[in-house]
Amino acid sequence: MPAVSKGDGMRGLAVFISDIRNCKSKEAEIKRINKELANIRSKFKGDKALDGYSKKKYVCKLLFIFLLGHDIDFGHMEAVNLLSSNRYTEKQIGYLFISVLVNSNSELIRLINNAIKNDLASRNPTFMGLALHCIANVGSREMAEAFAGEIPKILVAGDTMDSVKQSAALCLLRLYRTSPDFVPMGDWTSRVVHLLNDQHLGVVTAATSLITTLAQKNPEEFKTSVSLAVSRLSRIVTSASTDLQDYTYYFVPAPWLSVKLLRLLQCYPPPEDAAVRGRLTECLETILNKAQEPPKSKKVQHSNAKNAVLFEAISLIIHHDSEPNLLVRACNQLGQFLQHRETNLRYLALESMCTLASSEFSHEAVKTHIETVINALKTERDVSVRQRAVDLLYAMCDRSNAQQIVAEMLNYLETADYSIREEIVLKVAILAEKYAVDYTWYVDTILNLIRIAGDYVSEEVWYRVIQIVINRDDVQGYAAKTVFEALQAPACHENLVKVGGYILGEFGNLIAGDPRSSPLIQFNLLHSKFHLCSVPTRALLLSTYIKFVNLFPEIKTTIQDVLRSDSQLKNADVELQQRAVEYLRLSTIASTDILATVLEEMPPFPERESSILAKLKKKKGPGTVTDLEEIKKERNSDVNGGTESTPVNASTVSTPSPSADLLGLGAAPLTSSAPPPSTTGSLLVDVFSDSASVVAPLAPGSEDNFARFVCKNNGVLFENQLLQIGLKSEFRQNLGRMFIFYGNKTSTQFLNFTPTLICSDELQSSLNLQTKPVDPTVDGGAQVQQVVNIECISDFMEAPILNIQFRYGGTFQNISVKLPITLNKFFQPTEMASQDFFQRWKQLSNPQQEMQNIFKAKHPMDTEITKAKIIGFGSALLEEVDPNPANFVGAGIIHTKTTQIGCLLRLEPNLQAQMYRLTLRTSKETVSQRLCELLSEQF
C-alpha cells in the first residue's frame, strides 16, 4: 500500500528534523524554523487545497517546532480537519496535535468535541481508541462535562471490543480524578462491577483501577464488587503460571492485577458472607504459603512481583484485623525479611510490622523480634530503615519492655542522624511518661535526654516534665535533688537550666536542709549559669530568684543586690529590665504574707492530652503509628500524670510582652507592620538629602498586583489615570532580566521622570540589581523601557520597592509599588519519580525544614488552574506521584549564587470544606517559610 508507506514516512518531516539537528547555532536553528513556519503558513493560506498527507506532514512539523520550545499560533484548524479523515495516521496526528497544543479555552473546542463524538459513535475500535485517549490526555472540565455521560455507556455496552473497554475504563478514571462532580453514578455502576468477571484480563485490570477509585468515595454503590474481586483473586492465586501465559510475569501469574484486587478489598471491611470470607482467607493463606516456597527464578523481577503481591496481602490482613492466625503468620513472614539482604524489603517489613504492633492479636508476635529490630537500629546503614526501626520499637513498647526500649533509644540518640533526632526525643519522652512505674526513672530519663540531645528537646518536652513533677508530690523532692546535681556539671544545656530554674524555684525548699544544697548554694549555682543563657531563660531565672525570696528569706539581701545591679536595672532588653524593677520593688515593699500569696506554689495542672504526643502526631501526620497506638486494645494503662497545660511561673506580676510569658505561652511573636520602605538603608540618606523626596507609601492595590505576579512573569503591574507600568521578565537559574515599561497615558509630558529601585540592607546582600537610568522626559502617549538585570546571591524574604517620581502639569507625583522579584522566580523545575520524591521527602523531615499552612480557598478550586499556578510558580508538577490523585506534588531547585536549595511541595485540596493544606519542605527554614507564604496566596 504505497499511500500508507508514504504517510508513514513523511520524508519532508525527516528532512526538516535533520536540518534542525545540523544547525550549528541557536540563531541558525531559529532562522530555519522561521523559514519553515513561513512555508507552512503559505501552504495553509494558498489557493490550492492540501491533501490529507500534506496537512498531516505540516501539522507534524508544527508539533515538532512547538516541542522545541517555540510558540505556535496557527495550524489548529488544519489539525481539527485531520480528525475527520478516515485514515488512521492522519487522524492520529490530528489527535496528537490537539492533545498537546489545544487548551480547554480554545474557540475550537466545540469542533473538537463534535469530531470526538463522531468517532465515539463510529463503532470503529481504532477511532474510538484515539478519541478516548485524547479525552484522557486533555482531561479538562470541559471534556468531562461533554463526555462523562457517554463513556460509561461505551464501557458497559455488550458489543464494545476489549481494547476499547480498557481505554474507556481508564479514560473515565482520568475524568473522575480531575472532575468527579461531572461523572454521574447511575445504572452503569452495577454493570461495571461485572467487568471483574470479564475473560480479558486487561479489561479486568483497567476496571479494577476504576472501581477502586470510585469505591473510595461511593462504597455503597460498589459493595457487590467484594465477592467478585475475591472470586477473581482466587482464580489467579490458585492458577499455575502456564494458565495465564499472556499475563504471567516471571512465573508470577497476573501480579499487578492481584495487587489491584487486594487494594480494592481494602476499601471494605471483612466480607459478611461466610463462604466469601472463607474463600478470601484461603487466598491469603495461599499467598503466604507461596512466599515460603523456593523461588522459581533468580531474577530480581520475579522476587519483586512475588513480594508486591505478598505485601499487599499483608496490608489487607492488617486492614481486616480479624484473623489471629493470619496476623501472626504475616508477622512471622515479615520477621524473616528483617534480616534480608535487600534494603527495600527490610524497610517494608519494618513499616508493616509497625502497623501489626497495633493489633491485639499480633502485638505479642511482633515483640518476639525486639532483638532483631534493636540490632537493625545499631547496624543498618540506611537512615530511612533506621527511622522505621525507631518507629517499630515505639509501636511494640509496653510495660514489660519499656525500660529496655527507652535505654536502647537513648543509646542510639548519641549517634543518630540529625534529621530524626527530634522525633526520637519526642518518642523517648512519651514512652518514659506513659510506662513509668517509678517516677524517679522518668525524671532521670528526661534529664538524660536533655544531656544527650538538648538542642532537639522541644519546649513541649520540658514543659511536660514540669507538669508531671508539679502534679505528683512523691517525685518533687527527688526531682529537685536530681536537677541540682545535674546543674553542677561545668557545661549544662540551656533546657536543663530552664528545668532546674523552674523546679528549684518551686521545690528548692525540699532539699535546702542538706548543707550541700543550702539556699545560697542553690542561688549561686543558678546564677552562675545566668550570663550564658538567652533572654527567655534569664527571664525565667529572675522569676526563680523572686521565688527564692519567698522560700528563703535569709538570702533576700543577696538576691536584691543582684536585682539592683546595673546589669539588670539598666538591661538593654526591656523585658529583663522590667522584671528586675518590678521584682525588686515587690521584694522591698511587700509584706511576708503578700509575698507568700503572690509567689505561692503552682497548683496542679488540669488533665489533658500530652502536648508531646500532640506534637508527634503533627510531625508524623495522620494515620501513622502514633494514631494507631491509640486503638491498641491491649494497652489499657492511662497516661501517667496526664496533664497538658503549660506551666506559668509567678512572673504574671510582670506586664505581658512577647517574652513576658516565660515558657512561650499565649503571646505570639510580634511582627513588624511598618511598610517595606521604612526598612531600607537608603531612607536615612534621603532624609538629609536636598535632591530626593520622601518615598511614598505603597500605592493602593499594590499588594494584590504583586501577588498576581508570583505565578506569572508578564502583565500590567500598576495603572492609574496618568501612568501604566508593565512588566516582562525572564529568569534562568540565579539570573534574571526584567523589562519595565512606563507608559504615559496623558497628552502632557512627564518631567523629571525618575524611577528608583529601593532595597533594604538585608535585601541588598541577597539580591544584586543593576539598572540604567531612563530618559527624564516622557512625552504624552509615549512609553519608555527600563531593563533591570537581576542576580540572586542568596535566599531572601522581602521584595524591592519601585519608586517613581515625576512632575505632571506642575504637580509632583510620587508612586511606590512592590516589584515582583520573589524567591520562586529562581526555581528550576525538577522531574522526579515517585520513589525518589518520597525518599527525598523523608530526608527533609526536620521540623525546621518543613512549613505547612492550612487555609480557606479564595478562588474556585479548579484542577487545571491549580496545575497552571504550580507550574507558573516554577516547580515541576509531578504526575502520579502522590498516592492520592487529588493532591498536587511539585519539585524544583532554587538557584542562588552561593547555594542550591532543593524544594518539594505538596498541595492537598479538600473540595467539601473548600480548603487547602500546603506543605513545603526544603533544606533551609527561611526558604520553606517564604515559598509557603507566596504560594498560599495564590489559591
Side-chain angles (χ1 to χ4, degrees):
M1 295 174 66
V4 173
S5 63
K6 178 186 176 187
D8 289 340
M10 285 193 286
R11 185 171 175 277
L13 175 64
V15 171
F16 175 59
I17 293 173
S18 177
D19 289 349
I20 293 294
R21 287 177 175 170
N22 292 331
C23 289
K24 303 295 185 184
S25 65
K26 187 71 176 175
E27 291 74 17
E29 178 184 309
I30 293 172
K31 184 178 179 181
R32 178 68 182 90
I33 287 171
N34 288 337
K35 178 182 176 183
E36 191 64 38
L37 287 173
N39 177 51
I40 296 171
R41 200 185 298 268
S42 67
K43 294 289 185 184
F44 285 166
K45 289 184 177 180
D47 298 331
K48 185 180 177 182
L50 295 176
D51 60 8
Y53 166 76
S54 300
K55 279 186 187 176
K56 178 184 69 170
K57 179 177 68 174
Y58 293 134
V59 166
C60 260
K61 287 183 178 181
L62 290 176
L63 187 57
F64 179 70
I65 292 169
F66 176 78
L67 295 177
L68 288 176
H70 300 272
D71 291 334
I72 298 297
D73 56 2
F74 69 99
H76 299 74
M77 194 64 210
E78 284 70 18
V80 173
N81 290 338
L82 285 175
L83 300 185
S84 59
S85 170
N86 287 324
R87 288 177 176 270
Y88 169 76
T89 54
E90 293 171 11
K91 191 182 288 285
Q92 179 195 32
I93 294 302
Y95 275 123
L96 182 60
F97 185 93
I98 287 163
S99 299
V100 175
L101 271 99
V102 177
N103 61 47
S104 58
N105 299 322
S106 171
E107 298 172 358
L108 300 173
I109 202 72
R110 186 174 297 176
L111 290 173
I112 294 168
N113 286 353
N114 287 336
I116 291 175
K117 283 180 181 176
N118 291 336
D119 282 338
L120 291 179
S122 69
R123 312 311 293 174
N124 180 320
T126 306
F127 293 173
M128 292 175 76
L130 286 174
L132 290 167
H133 291 168
C134 180
I135 296 170
N137 285 333
V138 176
S140 64
R141 290 182 66 81
E142 290 74 14
M143 286 285 189
E145 189 174 9
F147 301 109
E150 294 293 321
I151 296 173
K153 297 175 185 175
I154 296 172
L155 179 59
V156 298
D159 58 345
T160 304
M161 291 188 65
D162 291 336
S163 61
V164 178
K165 283 184 181 178
Q166 283 181 264
S167 298
L170 295 176
C171 180
L172 190 59
L173 175 60
R174 161 74 167 157
L175 294 183
Y176 185 78
R177 285 174 173 171
T178 55
S179 308
D181 46 324
F182 284 126
V183 180
M185 298 293 113
D187 296 338
W188 64 273
T189 56
S190 58
R191 298 176 65 187
V192 80
V193 167
H194 290 283
L195 290 177
L196 294 176
N197 273 337
D198 198 279
Q199 293 182 348
H200 193 281
L201 284 191
V203 174
V204 181
T205 305
T208 306
S209 297
L210 174 63
I211 294 168
T212 303
T213 302
L214 294 172
Q216 288 169 353
K217 292 190 177 179
N218 308 282
E220 284 301 311
E221 294 270 1
F222 298 93
K223 63 182 180 183
T224 55
S225 64
V226 173
S227 58
L228 295 174
V230 171
S231 174
R232 173 61 80 174
L233 181 65
S234 176
R235 277 180 275 165
I236 294 172
V237 168
T238 57
S239 68
S241 58
T242 54
D243 295 344
L244 303 169
Q245 287 185 354
D246 291 342
Y247 287 88
T248 296
Y249 182 79
Y250 287 87
F251 304 102
V252 182
W256 317 128
L257 176 56
S258 301
V259 167
K260 288 177 184 290
L261 290 168
L262 289 163
R263 283 186 182 166
L264 171 58
L265 292 170
Q266 289 175 56
C267 297
Y268 294 93
E272 295 177 3
D273 187 312
V276 176
R277 190 166 182 168
R279 195 170 185 183
L280 176 59
T281 302
E282 287 177 15
C283 288
L284 296 172
E285 286 179 341
T286 305
I287 293 172
L288 291 174
N289 291 336
K290 285 187 175 181
Q292 299 291 338
E293 295 175 1
K296 296 179 180 178
S297 170
K298 292 183 179 180
K299 293 190 174 180
V300 69
Q301 292 93 335
H302 171 72
S303 59
N304 282 348
K306 190 175 173 182
N307 290 331
V309 178
L310 173 64
F311 274 102
E312 208 59 53
I314 291 174
S315 295
L316 180 60
I317 293 169
I318 295 169
H319 171 75
H320 285 170
D321 195 20
S322 58
E323 296 288 339
N325 179 45
L326 287 177
L327 285 161
V328 173
R329 284 196 62 188
C331 181
N332 294 336
Q333 180 62 53
L334 292 172
Q336 295 176 21
F337 287 145
L338 291 179
Q339 294 178 310
H340 199 279
R341 60 187 177 84
E342 179 62 46
T343 305
N344 289 335
L345 279 181
R346 297 197 300 274
Y347 178 93
L348 291 170
L350 288 166
E351 191 172 49
S352 298
M353 287 184 83
C354 284
T355 319
L356 276 174
S358 66
S359 169
E360 62 176 326
F361 302 118
S362 55
H363 180 75
E364 291 301 321
V366 172
K367 282 168 58 180
T368 60
H369 299 284
I370 185 170
E371 295 300 332
T372 308
V373 179
I374 289 171
N375 186 54
L377 192 64
K378 295 176 180 177
T379 60
E380 186 63 56
R381 286 184 293 179
D382 191 306
V383 61
S384 60
V385 180
R386 292 199 297 273
Q387 187 165 2
R388 292 287 80 79
V390 171
D391 290 342
L392 180 53
L393 286 175
Y394 176 79
M396 69 168 63
C397 188
D398 58 21
R399 290 199 184 280
S400 66
N401 56 19
Q403 294 199 9
Q404 178 190 4
I405 287 176
V406 167
E408 292 294 346
M409 283 188 169
L410 283 172
N411 288 338
Y412 173 61
L413 189 56
E414 298 194 36
T415 56
D417 299 84
Y418 295 109
S419 59
I420 62 173
R421 283 194 181 186
E422 185 183 11
E423 187 181 320
I424 297 175
V425 166
L426 291 173
K427 287 179 173 174
V428 168
I430 291 168
L431 295 178
E433 174 189 342
K434 187 164 189 175
Y435 301 116
V437 179
D438 178 2
Y439 274 89
T440 58
W441 172 73
Y442 170 74
V443 171
D444 289 339
T445 299
I446 299 300
L447 293 181
N448 203 15
L449 198 62
I450 295 174
R451 179 186 63 79
I452 294 171
D455 289 337
Y456 298 89
V457 175
S458 62
E459 290 182 334
E460 287 84 358
V461 174
W462 70 267
Y463 288 174
R464 194 71 178 146
V465 183
I466 291 168
Q467 292 165 11
I468 290 175
V469 169
I470 286 176
N471 282 31
R472 301 193 67 91
D473 297 338
D474 56 336
V475 79
Q476 290 166 357
Y478 180 81
K481 177 175 178 291
T482 306
V483 295
F484 175 78
E485 291 172 352
L487 285 170
Q488 293 179 12
C492 294
H493 194 274
E494 193 166 330
N495 282 335
L496 181 60
V497 178
K498 291 175 182 176
V499 174
Y502 201 106
I503 290 179
L504 292 179
E506 295 291 331
F507 310 114
N509 59 312
L510 300 178
I511 60 171
D514 189 332
R516 292 172 297 179
S517 54
S518 65
L520 185 60
I521 291 176
Q522 288 185 44
F523 171 74
N524 287 335
L525 180 61
L526 284 174
H527 196 54
S528 67
K529 315 291 182 186
F530 185 89
H531 303 289
L532 304 172
C533 297
S534 63
V535 169
T537 307
R538 292 186 190 185
L540 186 147
L541 289 177
L542 288 178
S543 296
T544 300
Y545 297 168
I546 193 66
K547 286 263 188 176
F548 277 179
V549 170
N550 178 46
L551 289 177
F552 313 122
E554 62 269 31
I555 62 171
K556 177 178 179 179
T557 308
T558 306
I559 292 172
Q560 286 178 333
D561 290 342
V562 170
L563 295 174
R564 197 179 287 117
S565 65
D566 285 351
S567 61
Q568 304 304 336
L569 293 182
K570 297 181 179 179
N571 197 295
D573 185 88
V574 66
E575 175 61 30
L576 294 180
Q577 185 187 80
Q578 184 174 351
R579 288 193 184 215
V581 170
E582 292 181 357
Y583 290 168
L584 179 60
R585 194 69 178 147
L586 180 65
S587 67
T588 305
I589 64 172
S591 66
T592 306
D593 292 340
I594 293 175
L595 271 178
T597 303
V598 173
L599 304 173
E600 67 180 346
E601 198 174 288
M602 288 294 294
F605 292 100
E607 300 285 330
R608 290 188 197 169
E609 181 196 28
S610 166
S611 59
I612 313 175
L613 194 58
K615 174 157 186 171
L616 185 61
K617 285 182 189 175
K618 182 179 178 183
K619 181 178 176 61
K620 295 292 281 183
T624 56
V625 69
T626 54
D627 289 328
L628 294 167
E629 183 200 88
E630 294 178 359
I631 57 173
K632 289 180 185 176
K633 297 166 186 166
E634 189 247 336
R635 316 281 207 278
N636 54 9
S637 56
D638 294 327
V639 175
N640 299 316
T643 57
E644 159 50 21
S645 180
T646 310
V648 181
N649 212 318
S651 59
T652 49
V653 294
S654 173
T655 306
S657 78
S659 57
D661 187 350
L662 293 187
L663 304 176
L665 287 184
L670 293 179
T671 54
S672 171
S673 59
S678 66
T679 62
T680 60
S682 61
L683 278 187
L684 191 61
V685 179
D686 290 344
V687 172
F688 300 102
S689 171
D690 293 330
S691 58
S693 301
V694 176
V695 176
L698 290 179
S702 174
E703 288 287 354
D704 292 339
N705 287 338
F706 175 83
R708 279 196 285 269
F709 274 81
V710 169
C711 293
K712 67 175 187 176
N713 290 332
N714 308 328
V716 176
L717 177 65
F718 171 82
E719 187 168 12
N720 64 9
Q721 295 176 335
L722 308 178
L723 176 69
Q724 183 188 68
I725 304 174
L727 293 183
K728 186 175 181 181
S729 48
E730 56 186 7
F731 295 84
R732 179 169 293 180
Q733 295 188 346
N734 71 313
L735 302 176
R737 177 179 294 174
M738 180 176 284
F739 299 88
I740 308 176
F741 302 93
Y742 305 97
N744 183 346
K745 295 174 64 178
T746 72
S747 57
T748 307
Q749 276 188 335
F750 291 165
L751 301 175
N752 300 329
F753 188 84
T754 312
T756 309
L757 288 177
I758 302 171
C759 297
S760 66
D761 292 340
E762 184 179 351
L763 188 57
Q764 284 180 5
S765 63
S766 303
L767 205 60
N768 184 13
L769 304 179
Q770 295 180 347
T771 184
K772 294 180 179 178
V774 299
D775 192 332
T777 303
V778 183
D779 293 331
Q783 184 185 76
V784 294
Q785 173 185 305
Q786 185 176 32
V787 181
V788 182
N789 291 317
I790 307 159
E791 181 183 24
C792 180
I793 309 297
S794 61
D795 62 281
F796 56 96
M797 301 288 284
E798 306 170 56
I801 303 299
L802 175 62
N803 177 246
I804 304 103
Q805 300 179 5
F806 60 93
R807 288 197 172 274
Y808 164 73
T811 307
F812 178 71
Q813 303 291 329
N814 192 352
I815 300 166
S816 291
V817 294
K818 286 176 78 170
L819 201 59
I821 301 175
T822 50
L823 188 58
N824 64 292
K825 299 297 183 185
F826 304 97
F827 243 136
Q828 288 294 308
T830 304
E831 294 294 336
M832 299 177 79
S834 178
Q835 182 179 357
D836 297 335
F837 178 87
F838 283 105
Q839 181 180 358
R840 180 62 179 153
W841 184 266
K842 289 172 183 174
Q843 289 171 353
L844 296 172
S845 58
N846 225 325
Q848 290 83 9
Q849 296 172 331
E850 180 182 286
M851 185 60 62
Q852 191 173 91
N853 188 19
I854 300 173
F855 54 92
K856 197 80 176 172
K858 304 186 187 98
H859 309 289
M861 299 178 75
D862 184 277
T863 302
E864 294 303 316
I865 294 175
T866 303
K867 287 182 179 179
K869 285 185 176 179
I870 292 174
I871 293 170
F873 191 67
S875 71
L877 183 65
L878 306 182
E879 299 281 358
E880 298 180 0
V881 167
D882 198 292
N884 184 347
N887 295 342
F888 302 90
V889 173
I893 298 173
I894 296 287
H895 285 263
T896 71
K897 185 177 181 180
T898 55
T899 186
Q900 294 184 4
I901 304 157
C903 309
L904 304 178
L905 69 88
R906 190 183 194 192
L907 181 69
E908 301 165 84
N910 184 333
L911 290 172
Q912 286 76 18
Q914 288 291 296
M915 296 188 75
Y916 289 98
R917 177 165 68 180
L918 174 64
T919 308
L920 260 296
R921 287 191 180 183
T922 76
S923 51
K924 195 167 183 182
E925 181 179 9
T926 52
V927 175
S928 300
Q929 180 182 344
R930 182 55 174 160
L931 293 180
C932 190
E933 287 173 0
L934 291 169
L935 193 53
S936 297
E937 293 299 317
Q938 301 304 307
F939 305 101

